Each structure stands twice: as C-alpha cells, then as structure tokens.
Amino acid sequence: MYYLLDGSRGHSSKRLKRLAMDWTDYGDYGVEYDELLGLSEARLIDYNCKDALVTVELREKFLHVMQSAWGESMINGYNNVVKPAQLLLFWATVNGMKVDVAYGIQLLKDLQGKIKVIGDKVKVITGRDLNLGSPKQMLTYLNEQGVNITSTGVEILEQYAGKNVIVDMLLEHRQLSKLCNTYVKPTLETHLKEGNIIHGKFDLTGTVTGRIASSDPNMQNIPVRIGPMIEMMFISRFEDGYIVKADYSQMELRVAAIYSNDKRMIEFFKTGKDIHNMVATDIYGVPESEMLSGSQRAKDARRIAKGFNFGVIYGRSAYSIAQELNIDVSDAEGKKNEYFRLFSQLKGWLVKTEEQAVLDGYVRNMFGRVRYIPGLRSNVDKIKSKALREAVNTPIQGAASDIALLGALRTYQEIQKRGLKTKFVNFVHDAMLFDVPSNELEEVVSIIKEKAVQLPLFVKTDVPLAIDTAWGKTWGDCK
C-alpha cells in the first residue's frame, strides 16, 4: 500500500519496522534476527503482537491517505492491480520452474573451462600472472599499457572494446564469470528444492518505476547475449511438456499511445502492422513493400525507427539516440523533429507530463501509482535532465507492467477455472511463462490469446493489445 503512495524510496525503507517508526507511535521495536532466539517467551509474544497491531494500524492510515489525498483512482489501483498482482506472483513462487540439472552441470563445466582458457591466454600475452577478477590489479596493468581509465567498470571498458585485446578478454571474462557465479552455480548449489524445482522470489515493490523485481535468481536482468544459455536450463515438469512464453508486443509504445491518445499511433496499432516499419516508411521514405522485403536498406531504416520509437518515450535526447544508433547528431535531430511531426499528440503529452511533474514534484501512472522525483527541481542541468527522463518513462513502464500482470492473472485464473494442470511459473518484463502438459498446449495458447489482450474495464482507449506466443522444450527454445 505504501508503495503506491511513494514508489521513489528504496525497498528497505518500506519494511514494517521503518514504517512503524515513521507512521505510528510504536517507535523502533525491532530486534536483530540473530537476537530473536534469545528472547523470552513474553518478549516474543510482545514482539509478534506489535507486528500484527502495526500492520492493522498502517493499513487503516494508508487507506485514509489514499482516499483523502489521491481519491478513488489510487484505491482502484490498490484493489484492482496491487492485490491481484500479489496473488499472481505468489503462484509463480509456489509453482517454481524445473531445472535441467544435467544441462546445468555441463554448462558450468563449459563456462569454467572458457574462463580458464581466457586467463591462460592473458598470461601468455602479458607474460604476467594477472588476476582478471581483481579490478585494482587490472586497472594498474591497463594504465601501465597506456589505457587511461580511472576504473574497470563495464561501461568504461566498452569504450576500448575492439581496440585493446586485453580489454576484450577482460570483458568476456567478466561476462562468463557473471553467468557462472550469478546464475548457474547458485541455481545448482543453493536454490534447488524437491524435484529440482527452483522457487524464485518476486517483488512488486522492488523498483521505482513499478516493474517487477526478482531474486534467487534474478530473471529480470539476464544479459541479452548470454540469456539463451541460462534459459535453456529451465524445462517442463511434465513428461513431454512445454514451456510456453507469451510476450506482449511493443507494450510501452501502446501505453504511450493510451496516455497521449495520439491518433496516428493508434491508427498504426489498429492496422496490426509493425509500427517500426511504419515509422521507417514515413520518416525515411522506404516503401512499405520494401520494408517487408528484408533488404539491407529496410533493416537499417527499421533499426533507426525502432531507436526513435523507444528513445523518445525514454525521454532521450537526439545526441543520446545518435550515439546509440551510430548516426550524426544533426541527422538525429532532424529525424526527431520529423518523428514529432508524425506523432504531434505524443509530443504534446510528453511536454505536458514534464511540465506537470516539475510543478508537482512527482508523477502518477494510470493506476494511481505515485513516484516523487526530487531532481525535478534541481538547478543542476544533468540532474534535472535525468529527472525529466524519469518523469516521462516512469508512468509508461509502471502501467506497462501493471497491464501485463493483470493479463497474466486473468489468463491463469481461466486456466485454473478450467481445472487444467498448467502452471504459471515466471514473469519477466512484459512476458509471462507457463509450464504446460502437451495435451493442454493448444487450449492454453488459445486462452492466452483471448484473455491476455483484454484491458481493464477502467482503461478507456481504442489502443489494442497484441501478444506473441512461442513454446519449446526449454525456456530458451521459446523464440
């Protein structure tokens, strides 16, 4: 509930004891975890009773603040989004995903072998026994070799990618080590439960934008290049079963169209055609027929159109978009102006959102979720620019996640209603994953295509949702 009132603070500040200190007269009654076993029975009873009383008091206070300060929209957001979403994520944790242990063990061996090979090559090239896992040692070495950097962070090293062989090998070593130590080893050694099922944790309040966070393991931030290797570890629990992935198509752009009511964007989505292709045709003049041909010119135009589609709703400048797309800044500025001529109502919404955010100091999404952004009133250009980007993107990301969660819940409720054995097992960004027996595959895909694309009744719009489904014997096969 508190997260709806202020999504800007870190997760730790929302823990019960902190909220009790900030909102009640109970003060700091917390006890360190390792001290609990030493408490007397009477003290434990007192501690647990306060937890219960604080929970009830906070609920009443937050409901009052929601109603008095923010009105029915936030109450609706709590009742129609947050509470149902918690149930969905509960089922994802309880159901869990089955791990192919044999594949995981072999993957671990392969990764460790590649990591060793890289280390051995570095020793041969440098003539030194360098520890690639030591940032301090690698920084010293690279500085000695004329690579003038102040840290070995990935973003800094990537500026020298392709220019220095040791930097290239260090980057590869980092990525393989992360894959090995963050995903494969913990999954095999720590998290496996009965039946080789891993029960990840999902957090509805773990990000400031409203997107879902996950841990043990973190499925939200798997690097794109190594993602398939991780995803291949997860298989169906059913004999001859499938993992089914349902991924919303261009959800954030559709949410931007809902907010702005941009007629041109809505028209594009209602045709069912690829919006990146349509923008490429309008801005670059590449005929629609050629965009479907797959020519190199069409691919280049689509890549740039896609960069503008998402870059604009992320609040990025022409310079930033130019850097990412490797085009001239002047060209990016011209194309951005053309983009806004194409989607003039979207531009109006972006400008209005930024202006209102500066006045209010916060933004809200369509489900009532609030995020305060202190940097909106900063006198430092860099800080304010970042805050303005967040003011535009937060309502879009949060609403996209909420709509997708509700679609997944509606789908799973129908699956349960029909008494099917299919399990909802994961939610990653705008995608939902199901573990499906082979004899239920066709029915489940049909349910997804019907239920997942229904918008909540209180969202009034002509923007249609679209969802793509894929299935395979592993998560990684769902392409």
Side-chain angles (χ1 to χ4, degrees), residues 91-147:
W91 280 118
T93 296
V94 170
N95 291 335
M97 296 189 76
K98 185 169 184 177
V99 175
D100 184 341
V101 176
Y103 171 85
I105 290 173
Q106 186 59 52
L107 178 59
L108 182 61
K109 289 180 180 178
D110 292 344
L111 291 171
Q112 290 173 332
K114 290 178 180 178
I115 290 169
K116 184 178 185 303
V117 168
I118 292 173
D120 291 342
K121 284 184 177 179
V122 169
K123 288 179 185 178
V124 172
I125 293 171
T126 64
R128 295 167 62 171
D129 189 14
L130 293 173
N131 178 6
L132 294 176
S134 169
K136 182 178 180 181
Q137 190 176 132
M138 292 310 301
L139 177 63
T140 300
Y141 172 79
L142 290 171
N143 285 163
E144 290 173 355
Q145 301 304 309
V147 181

Side-chain angles (χ1 to χ4, degrees), residues 23 28 103 142 173 175-176 378 382 389:
W23 289 80
D28 184 7
Y103 171 85
L142 290 171
H173 183 276
Q175 191 167 61
L176 293 175
S378 174
K382 187 175 181 179
R389 291 195 299 273

Side-chain angles (χ1 to χ4, degrees), residues 295-358:
S295 69
Q296 189 58 49
R297 186 171 79 135
K299 289 178 180 178
D300 291 342
R302 187 182 188 280
R303 177 182 65 86
I304 294 173
K306 184 176 180 179
F308 276 97
N309 275 329
F310 288 109
V312 166
I313 65 171
Y314 292 155
R316 299 177 64 181
S317 66
Y319 176 80
S320 175
I321 295 174
Q323 291 290 103
E324 179 184 320
L325 299 177
N326 195 28
I327 61 177
D328 291 336
V329 176
S330 59
D331 185 26
E333 288 174 344
K335 292 296 183 289
K336 189 173 182 180
N337 289 334
E338 290 181 41
Y339 187 91
F340 281 138
R341 280 195 290 272
L342 184 64
F343 300 122
S344 58
Q345 288 170 287
L346 174 63
K347 180 182 181 181
W349 177 79
L350 292 169
V351 172
K352 183 179 178 181
T353 299
E354 289 183 351
E355 291 174 348
Q356 193 63 47
V358 172

Side-chain angles (χ1 to χ4, degrees), residues 393-449:
N393 190 236
T394 294
I396 293 175
Q397 279 202 29
S401 181
D402 290 340
I403 291 171
L405 278 169
L406 291 178
L409 177 63
R410 196 181 304 110
T411 300
Y412 194 43
Q413 285 175 331
E414 180 64 22
I415 288 170
Q416 292 175 312
K417 180 181 176 182
R418 297 191 190 188
L420 302 179
K421 294 180 180 179
T422 291
K423 306 288 187 184
F424 175 73
V425 295
N426 204 349
F427 187 86
V428 182
H429 302 307
D430 298 330
M432 58 190 88
L433 270 68
F434 296 90
D435 188 352
V436 185
S438 58
N439 65 324
E440 294 180 4
L441 178 62
E442 185 176 344
E443 185 174 4
V444 168
V445 171
S446 177
I447 292 171
I448 292 170
K449 289 186 175 294

